[in-house]
């Protein structure tokens, strides 16, 4: 068993990560060790990242113990860059016993300064040149080769022409160096894409009640409606975040089936969502920031009127779907869409009703003809006992302990397996479907699974559906 991480006091006593636990206890008999839990560490890092959303919407996780924030255009909210860094450090002290913060022009430079610089430097370029070569985070072999060549700092490496360095140590060295020094474009990959629109309120005195917070969210929704109207767009997903003064973030999200910008309807959906929470919202010591973000939006034109003069029912139906989805959950309210597949059980798919997807058109039934497919399908198909001639139509079958004599039949309709998905010799076989009617007028959809003598010596029969 080896140590994964150590606190500052343990390191000062000569114990380092990677050391065997037994050796560490020899040096510090009273050493307290906890089992490593990388998954819990990652969850904790994600909670800290949620708290950092108050500074910028562009936050990237840098496992196992780092975060990178793109604060471009956000410094003025805190006075200047120094004020913002001070605010970040003050809040992060609530989450971690040791915090190292650095600001630079590129993510790699900020990471290197935070990990390898002992103190903030007034000159970023000079501070980067004084960093050790380990700031490039190369593999051990490349780092050792650079040190043996006398290149022990970033400055020493930056003064050399790039072509000989790439030829001797590999192009990855030049790529890391250019990213560190800002010679090439480098950006973070945020946890969530930047919202289309975002509106927020910050408070010197925290908001202490949920009702007051809802009133402020309503004001933000009204501002969002005006901005969406100017763009002739409507929101499809509204994300509300309540930032408590102790760092905890309460997240609420509602989705709509159609573009929406009516603040009353937006607040109704948010209220429905709050009513479904297992635990009521706890303001704690109050909310010092509230944000409403529009994660997705779409073009929204003027409503079309029907010939009778009233609005179409599409908007009313969409509002009903939105309310039910917010109250019961987006997976509980589904709509069936057609799929382009020759397999009967795959011609329809149930998706959340609030999702807007492109679907194939439903097959049209010929006038005066009976339906080709039953209205009810069994999943999985139910096995039955059939009396039939070899490779012929069913004459009698037994289903649920009851015999049915076939009066009429139509078929077979042969459906081949999906050969492009299943290799030869797979258990998926050919199906021969029959539409049959028994003596009492009830109609069934049967199929024989497998070809006589080719795929199976004695194919089995199944009941796949019932006609209305």
């Amino acid at each position: 068993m080896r140590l994964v991480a150590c606190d500052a006091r343990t390191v000062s006593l000569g114990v380092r990560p990677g050391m065997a636990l037994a050796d560490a206890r020899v040096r510090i008999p009273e050493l307290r060790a906890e089992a490593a839990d990388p998954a819990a560490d990652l969850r904790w890092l994600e909670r800290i990242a949620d708290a950092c959303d108050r500074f910028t919407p562009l936050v990237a996780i840098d496992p196992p113990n780092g975060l990178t924030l793109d604060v471009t255009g956000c410094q003025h909210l805190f006075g200047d860059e120094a004020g913002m860094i001070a605010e970040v450090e003050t809040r992060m002290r609530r989450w971690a016993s040791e915090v190292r913060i650095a600001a630079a022009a590129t993510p790699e430079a900020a990471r290197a300064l935070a990990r390898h610089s002992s103190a903030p430097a007034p000159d970023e370029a000079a501070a980067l040149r004084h960093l050790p070569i380990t700031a490039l985070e190369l593999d051990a072999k490349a780092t050792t080769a650079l040190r043996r060549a006398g290149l022990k700092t970033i400055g020493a490496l930056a003064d050399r022409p790039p072509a000989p360095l790439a030829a001797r140590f590999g192009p990855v060295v030049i790529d890391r160096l250019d990213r560190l020094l800002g010679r090439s474009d480098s950006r973070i990959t945020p946890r969530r894409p930047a919202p289309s629109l975002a509106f927020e309120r910050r408070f010197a005195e925290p908001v202490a009640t949920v009702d007051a917070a809802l009133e402020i969210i309503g004001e933000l929704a009204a501002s969002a409606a005006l901005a969406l109207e100017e763009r002739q767009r409507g929101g499809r997903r509204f994300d509300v975040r309540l930032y408590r003064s102790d760092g905890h973030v309460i997240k609420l999200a509602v989705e709509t089936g159609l573009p929406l910008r009516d603040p009353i309807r937006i607040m109704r959906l948010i209220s429905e969502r709050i009513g479904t929470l297992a635990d009521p919202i706890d303001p704690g010591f109050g909310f010092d920031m509230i944000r409403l973000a529009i994660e997705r939006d779409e073009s929204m034109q003027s409503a079309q009127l029907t010939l009778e003069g009233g609005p179409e029912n599409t908007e009313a139906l969409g509002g009903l779907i939105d309310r039910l989805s917010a109250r019961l959950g987006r997976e509980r309210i589904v709509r069936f869409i057609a799929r382009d597949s020759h397999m009967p059980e795959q011609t329809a798919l149930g998706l959340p009703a609030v999702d807007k997807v492109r679907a194939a058109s439903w097959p049209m039934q010929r006038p005066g003809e009976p339906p080709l497919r039953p209205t009810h399908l069994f999943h999985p198909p139910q096995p039955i006992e059939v009396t039939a001639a070899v490779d012929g139509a069913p004459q009698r079958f037994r289903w649920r302990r009851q015999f049915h004599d076939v009066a009429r039949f139509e078929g077979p309709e042969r459906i081949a397996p999906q050969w492009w998905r299943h290799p030869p010799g797979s258990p998926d076989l050919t199906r021969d479907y029959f539409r049959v009617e028994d003596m009492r007028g009830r109609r069934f959809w049967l199929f024989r699974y497998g070809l006589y003598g080719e795929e199976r010596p004695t194919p089995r029969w199944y009941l796949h559906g019932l006609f209305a």
Side-chain angles (χ1 to χ4, degrees):
M1 297 180 64
R2 295 187 176 275
L3 300 181
V4 177
C6 306
D7 63 6
R9 184 167 179 268
T10 306
V11 172
S12 65
L13 296 176
V15 175
R16 296 288 187 275
M19 182 180 292
L21 178 60
D23 296 340
R25 290 194 184 279
V26 170
R27 296 195 179 190
I28 310 177
E30 63 276 14
L31 177 68
R32 177 180 174 181
E34 299 287 346
D37 190 348
D41 292 342
L42 182 59
R43 290 194 298 269
W44 183 249
L45 192 61
E46 289 176 344
R47 289 190 62 185
I48 300 177
D50 287 339
C52 287
D53 282 345
R54 66 171 60 243
F55 305 113
T56 172
L58 302 179
V59 180
I61 294 181
D62 184 16
N65 55 5
L67 295 173
T68 306
L69 282 65
D70 187 345
V71 298
T72 304
C74 301
Q75 299 93 327
H76 68 280
L77 299 174
F78 305 88
D80 54 10
E81 183 177 287
M84 185 176 193
I85 293 177
E87 180 70 15
V88 171
E89 185 172 10
T90 300
R91 292 199 175 269
M92 291 302 104
R93 292 293 181 186
R94 305 172 182 175
W95 297 85
S97 59
E98 183 179 355
V99 181
R100 298 175 67 91
I101 301 177
T106 66
E108 289 79 8
R111 173 188 171 100
L113 290 174
R115 290 177 179 266
H116 300 278
S117 182
S118 58
D123 188 353
E124 177 184 331
L128 289 173
R129 293 180 62 87
H130 285 87
L131 292 180
I133 206 68
T134 53
L136 293 178
E137 300 185 9
L138 302 169
D139 56 46
K141 182 179 179 181
T143 302
T144 302
L146 288 171
R147 285 175 172 171
R148 288 177 178 176
L151 304 174
K152 299 182 179 181
T153 64
I154 298 297
L157 192 62
D159 293 336
R160 299 292 190 275
L165 290 176
R168 182 174 179 181
F169 302 105
V172 65
V173 175
I174 303 303
D175 179 65
R176 297 279 180 90
L177 182 64
D178 289 344
R179 289 177 178 271
L180 188 68
L181 298 179
R183 297 173 180 173
S184 60
D185 188 18
S186 179
R187 304 178 186 181
I188 68 171
T189 302
R191 302 168 62 215
R192 293 184 298 272
S196 302
L197 289 170
F199 304 86
E200 64 184 38
R201 292 277 183 87
R202 299 173 184 267
F203 311 101
E205 294 292 333
V207 177
T209 64
V210 176
D211 292 339
L214 286 175
E215 184 177 351
I216 294 169
I217 295 173
E219 296 174 359
L220 296 177
S223 301
L226 294 175
L228 288 170
E229 187 175 3
E230 292 178 357
R231 299 185 177 191
Q232 293 187 351
R233 301 185 70 82
R236 287 287 311 281
R237 179 182 171 90
F238 300 86
D239 186 80
V240 177
R241 291 183 177 252
L242 306 171
Y243 297 84
R244 285 196 330 204
S245 56
D246 61 356
H248 181 65
V249 182
I250 299 175
K251 295 173 283 186
L252 301 170
V254 295
E255 295 179 275
T256 63
L258 297 173
L260 177 66
R261 60 175 178 235
D262 183 3
I264 297 178
R265 291 179 57 188
I266 295 173
M267 289 306 300
R268 186 184 304 166
L269 293 177
I270 293 175
S271 300
E272 294 279 1
R273 182 69 183 89
I274 293 176
T276 63
L277 297 178
D279 298 323
I281 295 178
D282 180 14
F285 293 103
F287 305 112
D288 57 5
M289 177 177 164
I290 298 176
R291 174 183 293 159
L292 172 64
I294 301 172
E295 301 288 346
R296 295 200 310 268
D297 64 345
E298 293 180 1
S299 176
M300 184 176 179
Q301 305 298 332
S302 301
Q304 178 68 39
L305 300 180
T306 61
L307 294 177
E308 294 82 5
E312 289 185 327
N313 292 329
T314 305
E315 185 174 353
L317 178 60
L320 176 62
I321 292 175
D322 298 341
R323 293 194 300 272
L324 292 177
S325 299
R327 183 182 304 175
L328 304 177
R330 70 188 309 272
E331 304 295 337
R332 299 291 185 87
I333 308 299
V334 300
R335 74 174 73 196
F336 286 99
I337 64 171
R339 292 186 63 194
D340 186 12
S341 175
H342 73 288
M343 305 301 292
E345 63 272 16
Q346 298 180 11
T347 55
L349 182 65
L351 294 178
V354 295
D355 288 347
K356 187 177 181 181
V357 296
R358 292 184 178 180
S361 58
W362 293 102
M364 299 299 294
Q365 181 180 341
R366 294 181 180 179
E369 293 288 333
L372 294 176
R373 295 291 183 264
T375 55
H376 177 80
L377 286 180
F378 291 110
H379 181 70
Q382 299 189 6
I384 57 176
E385 300 175 5
V386 175
T387 301
V390 175
D391 212 14
Q395 301 173 2
R396 193 185 193 197
F397 66 93
R398 183 187 182 190
W399 175 52
R400 293 182 179 177
R401 302 180 182 180
Q402 185 177 357
F403 286 97
H404 300 265
D405 293 318
V406 177
R408 299 177 181 84
F409 74 88
E410 188 176 8
E413 177 190 356
R414 179 160 294 180
I415 297 181
Q418 295 175 310
W419 52 266
W420 59 93
R421 290 188 177 180
H422 302 280
S426 64
D428 199 13
L429 307 178
T430 304
R431 308 179 193 178
D432 283 341
Y433 279 88
F434 294 86
R435 290 184 292 176
V436 303
E437 181 179 327
D438 66 2
M439 294 298 183
R440 300 177 58 183
R442 293 172 296 188
R443 307 186 70 223
F444 306 88
W445 205 38
L446 317 179
F447 72 89
R448 181 175 52 227
Y449 194 50
L451 300 178
Y452 270 108
E454 297 182 19
E455 297 177 344
R456 273 187 174 179
T458 306
R460 300 195 61 181
W461 286 82
Y462 293 89
L463 175 63
H464 203 171
L466 302 175
F467 290 92

